[in-house]
């Protein structure tokens, strides 16, 4: 969209609602607002999905190409479109689109069909969507700030029969902690594929880690810094385009898949905090979440990569006296 075609006032009102209480609100007032959202906020969500899906491919995660995919809380269908780009085997599946707003569902169908003409789409409502979860691949995106506890429990009950779940959310502390609770609720029947490197209880639930939350950072594409409407978007809505935090959860039903192999034992949460000559790294592993000290002199190459954000999130730390002394390889740039 051209900058002049975007409904900036509508987007500002949307953001205000997202930042406060968006539960139960109907906010798609016009097709112009949907198109404006799709070109801005949804595009940023798509960049987060790209980061998650690229990580899964880099980790050699092979998903069963199920006959059904549910985009639950589909919005403008950005999750389905990014998923279809990265996992083309699913282009023969039927995509079921659910959202509280019919206008959004119709828009999502249109956008998916435009991008992938051969993909079948179907709109479902709150009553008919329940019967679609069994053996389905479920995509869920940015919904936890809109659901109350009863609605979350209803969704979790439906998810119990799904084949695999890919869930991407914003990275606020509240939302990320709610997603951890989702993980703990489902892990009896599901293996955790990502972001975790283990199947144990989440280490962030311990008393010493209550001030932390599980979040990661995606790299925005070059267009975020070269196209005029993104400059206007950043200035008008006061959003830093350089920062793209997200939280996510990927799980596979134990009845239909094998336990993921452990390749990487440690994962960085957030970004390392750097000081003069050393940094502190919040690391997740089977034994819990620990903040490790890493001195530059221990491994200057790795230190430089971490400092410049050029390393991936997955490692096999070499520890010395409880401190990071290096890593036996690193995964996913």
């Amino acid at each position: 969209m051209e900058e002049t075609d975007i409904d900036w006032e509508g987007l500002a009102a949307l953001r205000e609602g997202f930042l406060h209480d968006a539960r139960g609100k109907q906010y798609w007032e016009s097709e112009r607002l949907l198109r404006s959202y799709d070109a801005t906020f949804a595009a940023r969500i798509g960049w987060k999905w790209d980061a998650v899906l690229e990580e899964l491919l880099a980790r050699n995660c092979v998903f069963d190409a199920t006959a059904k995919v549910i985009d639950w809380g589909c919005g403008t269908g950005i999750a389905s479109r990014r998923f279809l780009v990265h996992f083309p085997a699913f282009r023969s599946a039927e995509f079921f689109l659910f959202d509280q707003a019919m206008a959004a569902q119709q828009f999502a169908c249109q956008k998916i069909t435009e991008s992938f003409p051969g993909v079948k789409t179907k709109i479902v409502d709150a009553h008919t969507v329940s019967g679609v979860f069994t053996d389905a691949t479920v995509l869920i995106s940015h919904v936890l700030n809109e659901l109350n506890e009863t609605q979350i429990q209803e969704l979790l009950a439906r998810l119990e029969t799904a084949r695999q779940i890919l869930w991407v959310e914003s990275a606020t502390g509240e939302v990320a902690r709610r997603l951890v609770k989702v993980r703990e609720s489902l892990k009896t029947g599901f293996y955790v594929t990502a972001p975790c490197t283990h199947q144990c209880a989440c280490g962030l639930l311990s008393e010493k880690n209550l001030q932390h939350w599980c979040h990661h950072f995606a790299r925005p594409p070059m267009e975020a810094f070269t196209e005029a409407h993104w400059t206007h978007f950043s200035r008008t809505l006061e959003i830093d385009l350089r920062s793209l935090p997200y939280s996510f959860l990927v799980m596979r039903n134990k009845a239909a898949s094998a336990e993921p192999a452990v390749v990487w034992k440690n994962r960085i949460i957030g970004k390392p905090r750097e000081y003069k000559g050393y940094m502190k790294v919040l690391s997740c592993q089977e034994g819990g979440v620990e903040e490790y000290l890493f001195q530059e002199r221990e491994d200057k190459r790795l230190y430089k990569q971490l400092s410049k954000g050029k390393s991936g999130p997955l490692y096999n730390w070499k520890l010395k006296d409880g401190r990071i002394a290096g890593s036996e390889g690193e995964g996913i740039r």
Side-chain angles (χ1 to χ4, degrees):
M1 292 181 70
E2 296 294 331
E3 180 182 332
T4 54
D5 295 330
I6 294 176
D7 182 359
W8 296 110
E9 289 186 4
L11 290 178
L14 273 180
R15 183 167 189 254
E16 187 68 17
F18 294 151
L19 290 175
H20 296 90
D21 190 1
R23 297 174 191 176
K25 293 183 179 179
Q26 295 286 344
Y27 37 73
W28 303 120
E29 298 176 353
S30 67
E31 184 175 342
R32 183 189 177 205
L33 184 56
L34 279 163
R35 286 188 286 107
S36 299
Y37 175 86
D38 192 59
T40 54
F41 285 115
R44 280 171 53 82
I45 290 173
W47 301 340
K48 298 177 185 182
W49 274 95
D50 286 341
V52 170
L53 298 172
E54 287 165 8
E55 173 177 333
L56 295 176
L57 289 172
R59 290 174 72 165
N60 297 315
C61 296
V62 180
F63 291 104
D64 301 327
T66 56
K68 298 178 292 184
V69 177
I70 305 171
D71 192 339
W72 199 94
C74 65
T76 60
I78 191 64
S80 290
R81 283 180 274 153
R82 302 318 301 160
F83 184 71
L84 284 163
V85 167
H86 292 281
F87 289 90
F90 284 83
R91 294 179 188 179
S92 59
E94 185 170 13
F95 279 67
F96 294 82
L97 305 174
F98 171 77
D99 195 276
Q100 62 177 351
M102 175 63 75
Q105 292 173 301
Q106 293 172 337
F107 186 92
C109 280
Q110 176 186 337
K111 296 296 290 187
I112 293 170
T113 302
E114 288 176 358
S115 301
F116 306 94
V119 173
K120 298 178 182 178
T121 60
K122 185 175 182 179
I123 292 174
V124 288
D125 59 26
H127 301 291
T128 56
V129 70
S130 300
V132 188
F133 278 83
T134 302
D135 287 329
T137 297
V138 184
L139 310 178
I140 305 175
S141 186
H142 290 71
V143 300
L144 281 178
N145 67 323
E146 301 184 37
L147 303 178
N148 60 39
E149 192 58 36
T150 299
Q151 291 170 321
I152 292 174
Q153 293 306 315
E154 290 174 351
L155 176 57
L156 293 180
R158 293 171 177 173
L159 287 172
E160 289 178 356
T161 61
R163 178 74 61 90
Q164 48 222 8
I165 304 163
L166 295 87
W167 195 325
V168 178
E169 286 286 348
S170 64
T172 67
E174 179 185 358
V175 168
R177 292 184 187 103
R178 295 182 89 184
L179 194 56
V180 166
K181 291 182 179 179
V182 168
R183 176 194 189 274
E184 298 306 291
S185 296
L186 291 175
K187 70 183 181 70
T188 299
F190 286 79
Y191 291 119
V192 184
T193 302
C196 315
T197 60
H198 60 86
Q199 304 301 314
C200 300
C202 178
L204 290 172
L205 296 174
S206 67
E207 188 73 25
K208 69 177 182 179
N209 287 317
L210 293 181
Q211 75 273 28
H212 301 302
W213 65 94
C214 188
H215 64 289
H216 319 278
F217 289 90
R219 294 187 180 94
M222 188 58 65
E223 67 191 66
F225 310 104
T226 59
E227 295 185 1
H229 84 275
W230 284 117
T231 301
H232 193 90
F233 174 84
S234 177
R235 291 174 179 171
T236 302
L237 300 176
E238 299 181 345
I239 292 176
D240 185 355
L241 294 175
R242 296 168 300 175
S243 180
L244 197 61
Y246 64 96
S247 53
F248 76 109
L249 179 64
V250 180
M251 307 186 84
R252 301 182 70 178
N253 199 305
K254 290 181 178 179
S257 60
E259 183 172 354
V262 177
V263 178
W264 306 103
K265 296 179 181 179
N266 315 97
R267 186 190 185 97
I268 293 178
I269 296 175
K271 293 180 179 179
R273 292 183 292 140
E274 191 171 3
Y275 305 88
K276 188 175 182 179
Y278 72 97
M279 60 177 60
K280 292 182 178 180
V281 179
L282 191 64
S283 176
C284 175
Q285 47 275 319
E286 184 175 334
V289 172
E290 299 290 342
E291 187 169 65
Y292 292 125
L293 188 72
F294 180 27
Q295 294 179 306
E296 183 177 10
R297 68 189 184 201
E298 295 287 357
D299 188 328
K300 291 186 177 181
R301 182 195 64 83
L302 178 59
Y303 189 96
K304 183 177 180 180
Q305 288 183 339
L306 286 173
S307 177
K308 293 183 177 295
K310 294 184 177 180
S311 293
L314 298 169
Y315 297 87
N316 289 315
W317 299 130
K318 292 187 292 185
L319 298 177
K320 182 171 66 176
D321 298 327
R323 299 178 179 183
I324 295 174
S327 175
E328 297 174 357
E330 59 196 62
I332 307 167
R333 297 268 175 147

